[in-house]
């Protein structure tokens, strides 16, 4: 009987449930689509790695700090002697051992356009030797394999994007120099292209051009099936005499999965986080929907109680309707999620990662989590209206409308809301005053949560006061329509608060992110102006700058000098015995001329005299002072002890950096093991034109398109562009929550129009025109949207300002409030209100006056 009643009620009001259904569908689609995409991408790469990995792979030993990889010394990749192939081939159970070459620090260039060829999405450019292996990831689909010193093969995706084909020319730039080749073959991936660019030379040419020596970067081993991979690994270790890394197929797969998994994991977690936000926003919509339906069915519920229905039955009846909504919305959402997953795969294809839509993997997690989110949020949101419905007394059947009094509940709400808001505000203050960023971050996270909950709880209580202020001019500007709109918005504060709360969450996150990123850009810009004296910044990207590149830059007409910087991985042991892994910035002698170091003690010139420059926070944590000695351990066991010569002030461009002179490092580390320059800074000669010298510098380095060459203004634009890219991604993901919030405004107005049908009829009967009626509803919508925007702006400013304060000593020294973004947000809320009211206002204007008055 209960189920029958609930089903009839649900389908009787299905039109009024439509927007709530859409909110559930959107949130669930985002979750299930993300999980399907993630499962498909992970499964695709699993198959790729499983189908191409050799039984065991013999690789050079790790020579970096603590056994880490150290392949980029002088820009060269670590290698194996050629006789390792023969040793491994003689191992029992080995069918074939193949020496291979593959490096990731070469640059491919189209010599015609002088533009770099390869991915720009973060995937690697791999250049190696062409070998026939039993499990190759690619096959020649056009032309032939490289067979001479001037021949190269390129993968099909890269060739297509670069406009290259058979007979075309391709330049390979390595630390050994520049080499031009003719494209004689095109290869295609057998499974999927993970986004990398691949180029192949014959083995002899690869050894000469890529390595500068007769060697291999790995030996790929395939067994005859008589022994397991683990046994092959153990036997190969004995045959080679040890000293090498030997990895089974499973270990190779695990290692490859880690590299791709970090990107996919970040993307998955970010999207799921925003899906949860949209689901939270959708919860407000569902609360409003069921609250209004309960209010409109007061007499119906009273009659149900009068004929013997218990409070539990009424409660369950509403929850069953919510369950139907949740199940239906989740089911549709899971289906829509498949479409979203396909869209994400197409997006990845645009940046070079080809995923086949035929390989969609709909794992149980996509279905289970989809239903858990959709049904869970719906039931939780509907529980509050269901509880209120169960409190409707049988006597309500004799009244036209009404719900139980809320005096006591408002008191409880006020107390809870004030406690949450005050507690959250206190935590934000503690976060801003915290000495350590980690502590401040923890306070900030909890403060954001509590202030958000506090504003949600206080929203209905704030509605009357705030809307009275926001709508104060409406009666004067729009007459009766404005006065009625203001009063309607204040009539049901609980409903108005819930509707505005959904919009508040999305806009608070937008404003908070805007304040944080604006502060990041302004702080970076000011730090560059304050600390960087060099006129030009040349960054080496992934490959670094070779001696040839630095020489070309140094010989540029109009340039006074260049300063080099190398990043040296090292372990620092302070006098208290504490060891820290870090990167030393090894700089050349003119560094202190090109950079203004903020000194708290010591002298910056001491760096070139054999001492270290350390940050103030590091010195404070380790109780260091000028003159103390730090033990510095480099890769391959090179060690030296260096005194602290200068302590740099915190809150500057150099936070966390430890500086040392290149000449000082060279006393402990052989020249052959020093890394390439990561960056080079140039300063124009006195009287030289800055712009012309920049053009001359670009001309000097035009053969190296992989380098980034910027003047200070260009570098600032680059920083801002990177920050804006992140911000726009956040905006895009938050767009889903804002869409759901807009649906909430539409839903509230639409149900409100239905609820006030008789009232609207009476207003029309006493002279309110259709135009005035529609204007009234539009103004009501605008006021509600503005209310949500004002609350969201206040919260967002508090969050963003606190975030800047937490990181003020880590580089975010300057607060920047994006006034333009705030004004645009408030203006957008007006537009949102107008758009949300279009359909409800149109429907209200078309009501038949007599039929509306006669409505029960």
């Amino acid at each position: 009987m209960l189920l029958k009643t609930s089903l009839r009620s649900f389908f009787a009001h299905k039109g009024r449930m439509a927007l709530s259904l859409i909110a559930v569908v959107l949130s669930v689609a985002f979750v299930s689509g993300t999980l399907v995409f993630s499962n498909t991408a992970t499964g695709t790469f699993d198959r790729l790695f499983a189908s191409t990995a050799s039984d065991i792979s013999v690789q050079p030993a790790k020579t970096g700090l603590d056994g880490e990889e150290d392949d980029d010394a002088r820009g060269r990749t670590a290698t194996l002697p050629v006789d390792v192939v023969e040793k491994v081939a003689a191992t029992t159970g080995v069918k074939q051992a193949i020496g291979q070459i593959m490096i990731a620090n070469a640059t491919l260039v189209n010599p015609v356009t002088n533009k770099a060829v390869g991915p720009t999405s973060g995937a690697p450019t791999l250049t190696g030797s062409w070998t026939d292996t039993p499990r190759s990831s690619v096959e020649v689909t056009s032309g032939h394999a490289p067979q001479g010193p001037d021949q190269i093969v390129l993968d099909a995706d890269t060739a297509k994007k670069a406009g290259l084909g058979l007979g075309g020319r391709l330049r390979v730039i390595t630390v050994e120099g520049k080499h031009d080749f003719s494209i004689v073959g095109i290869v295609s991936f057998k499974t999927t292209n993970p986004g990398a660019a691949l180029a192949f030379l014959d083995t002899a040419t690869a050894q000469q051009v890529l390595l500068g020596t007769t060697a291999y970067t790995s030996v790929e081993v395939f067994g005859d099936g008589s022994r397991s991979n683990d046994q092959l690994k153990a036997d190969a270790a004995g045959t080679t005499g040890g000293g090498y890394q030997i990895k089974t197929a499973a270990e190779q797969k695990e290692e490859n999965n880690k590299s791709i998994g970090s990107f996919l994991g970040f993307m998955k977690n970010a999207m799921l986080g925003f899906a949860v936000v949209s689901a939270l926003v959708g919860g407000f919509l569902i609360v409003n929907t069921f609250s209004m339906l309960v209010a409109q069915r007061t007499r119906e519920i009273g009659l149900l109680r009068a004929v013997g229905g218990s409070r539990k039955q009424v409660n369950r009846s509403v929850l069953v309707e919510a369950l139907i909504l949740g199940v239906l919305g989740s089911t549709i959402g899971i289906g829509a999620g498949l479409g979203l997953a396909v869209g994400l795969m197409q997006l990845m294809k645009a940046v070079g990662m080809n995923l086949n839509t035929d390989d969609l993997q709909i794992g149980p997690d996509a279905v289970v989590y989809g239903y858990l989110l959709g049904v869970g949020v719906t039931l939780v949101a509907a529980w509050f209206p269901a509880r209120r419905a169960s409190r409707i007394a049988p006597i309500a059947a004799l009244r036209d409308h009404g719900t139980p009094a809320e005096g006591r509940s408002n008191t409880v709400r006020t107390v809870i809301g004030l406690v949450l808001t005050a507690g959250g505000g206190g935590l934000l203050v503690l976060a801003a005053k915290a000495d350590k960023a980690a502590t401040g971050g923890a306070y900030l996270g909890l403060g954001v949560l509590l202030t958000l909950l506090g504003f949600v709880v206080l929203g209905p209580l704030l509605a009357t006061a705030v809307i009275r202020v926001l709508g104060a001019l409406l009666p004067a500007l729009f007459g009766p329509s404005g006065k009625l709109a203001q009063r309607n918005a204040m009539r049901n504060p609980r409903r108005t608060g819930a509707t505005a709360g959904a919009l508040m969450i999305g806009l608070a996150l937008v404003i908070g992110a805007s304040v944080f990123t604006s502060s990041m850009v302004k702080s970076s810009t000011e730090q560059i102006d304050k600390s960087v004296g060099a006129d030009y910044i040349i960054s080496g990207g992934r490959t670094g700058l070779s001696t040839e590149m630095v020489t070309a830059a140094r010989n540029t007409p109009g340039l006074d000098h260049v300063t080099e910087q190398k990043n040296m991985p090292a372990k620092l042991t302070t006098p208290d015995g504490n060891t820290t892994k870090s990167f030393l910035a090894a700089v050349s002698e003119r560094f202190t001329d090109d950079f203004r170091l903020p000194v708290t003690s010591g002298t910056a010139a001491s760096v070139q005299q054999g001492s270290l420059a350390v940050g103030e926070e590091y010195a404070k944590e380790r109780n260091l002072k000028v003159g103390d000695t730090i033990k510095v351990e480099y890769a391959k066991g090179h060690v030296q002890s260096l005194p602290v010569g200068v302590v740099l002030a915190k809150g500057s461009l150099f936070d966390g950096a430890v500086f040392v002179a290149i000449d000082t490092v060279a006393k402990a580390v052989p020249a052959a093991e020093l890394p390439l320059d990561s960056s080079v800074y140039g300063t124009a000669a006195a009287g030289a034109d800055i712009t012309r010298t920049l053009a001359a510098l670009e001309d000097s380095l035009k053969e190296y398109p992989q380098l980034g060459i910027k003047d200070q203004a260009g570098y600032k634009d680059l920083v801002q562009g990177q920050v804006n890219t992140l911000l726009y991604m956040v905006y895009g993901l938050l767009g889903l929550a804002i869409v759901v919030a807009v649906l909430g405004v539409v839903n509230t107005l639409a149900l409100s129009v239905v609820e006030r049908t008789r009232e609207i009829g009476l207003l029309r009967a006493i002279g309110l025109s259709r135009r005035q009626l529609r204007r009234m509803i539009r103004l009501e919508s605008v006021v509600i949207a503005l209310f949500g925007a004002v609350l969201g702006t206040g919260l967002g400013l508090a969050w963003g300002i606190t975030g800047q304060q937490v990181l003020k000593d880590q580089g975010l020294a300057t607060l920047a409030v994006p006034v333009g973004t705030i004004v645009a947000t408030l203006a957008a809320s007006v537009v949102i209100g107008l758009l949300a009211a279009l359909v409800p206002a149109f429907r209200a204007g078309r009501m038949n006056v007599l039929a509306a008055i006669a409505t029960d």
Side-chain angles (χ1 to χ4, degrees), residues 117-137:
V117 174
T120 57
S121 58
T125 295
L126 302 175
T127 311
S129 59
W130 178 263
T131 53
D132 292 321
T133 69
R135 299 175 196 158
S136 176
S137 60

Side-chain angles (χ1 to χ4, degrees), residues 717-739:
D717 291 340
L718 177 66
V719 171
Q720 182 164 359
Q722 292 171 340
V723 173
N724 285 342
T725 298
L726 174 64
L727 184 61
Y728 295 150
M729 183 184 74
V730 172
Y731 283 173
L733 293 172
L734 285 176
L736 175 65
I738 294 176
V739 166

